[in-house]
Amino acid sequence: MTAALRRLSRPSLNQRLRAAPVMTRSLMLDVIDHTCRRFPSLGQSERTARVMRFVDAEAWTDAALALMELELPLWQVRRIAYDEGEWHCALSRERELPDWLDAAVEARHADLALALLSAFIEVKALAVEVSRPSVPTVRPTLDALYEPVACENFS
């Protein structure tokens, strides 16, 4: 899944989001298919049904926010601002921190739903990169002569 996320979502899906003038059903379904781990595992729960109702109604911003709530429960929208024809969105794990202390993930686009989903994909890709250790882990082998000893002084 991680290789698929990096291969499909990071370069191509993110580029498709940036290049798209408006959100479409097929683009939203591609985001769900290629980046969402929790969505398929929940089956037809109320939360997944809610996202799909928004998609069916073409309520793209609501669908993006519901998808973020489902897939990124520890992240929150920190800021949504419209400036010079573009929506600027920031997602954060620590929304109450001052801007200069927070490590928010930001994205921008002329369409609000596409800006939100671009930030969503950045967070998902960041989570994949962070979860992989930079150094391979090796289990230590215990020496055959090693025996733990309790060294307590009760006097």
Side-chain angles (χ1 to χ4, degrees):
M1 181 72 169
T2 58
L5 177 63
R6 194 169 307 116
R7 184 181 71 247
L8 295 173
S9 68
R10 186 70 173 178
S12 63
L13 192 53
N14 216 350
Q15 288 172 356
R16 285 181 54 204
L17 287 174
R18 284 190 196 121
V22 293
M23 178 56 76
T24 63
R25 180 181 177 81
S26 65
L27 188 55
M28 177 61 89
L29 294 177
D30 281 349
V31 169
I32 292 170
D33 287 344
H34 296 303
T35 62
C36 298
R37 289 187 343 219
R38 294 179 183 200
F39 197 87
S41 66
L42 292 175
Q44 288 300 318
S45 73
E46 176 57 32
R47 293 171 16 165
T48 59
R50 180 175 172 235
V51 172
M52 291 314 294
R53 281 194 306 269
F54 287 138
V55 171
D56 291 338
E58 297 184 0
W60 305 126
T61 302
D62 292 326
L65 291 170
L67 194 61
M68 285 190 287
E69 181 183 339
L70 178 70
E71 288 287 323
L72 303 172
L74 299 177
W75 290 78
Q76 300 171 348
V77 175
R78 179 177 180 87
R79 181 179 56 253
I80 296 177
Y82 186 77
D83 186 33
E84 296 184 11
E86 284 189 324
W87 289 97
H88 299 262
C89 300
L91 302 180
S92 172
R93 290 188 69 172
E94 299 292 334
R95 190 171 65 175
E96 302 305 320
L97 287 177
D99 280 345
W100 60 277
L101 282 177
D102 189 21
V105 173
E106 298 188 26
R108 60 191 171 103
H109 196 280
D111 184 83
L112 178 56
L114 289 169
L116 287 166
L117 286 174
S118 294
F120 170 78
I121 294 219
E122 289 295 322
V123 169
K124 294 292 276 187
L126 180 68
V128 167
E129 291 172 9
V130 169
S131 67
R132 287 188 1 213
S134 60
V135 177
T137 57
V138 178
R139 287 191 168 160
T141 57
L142 295 178
D143 188 3
L145 300 176
Y146 173 78
E147 185 174 331
V149 177
C151 298
E152 297 175 356
N153 185 359
F154 292 109
S155 46

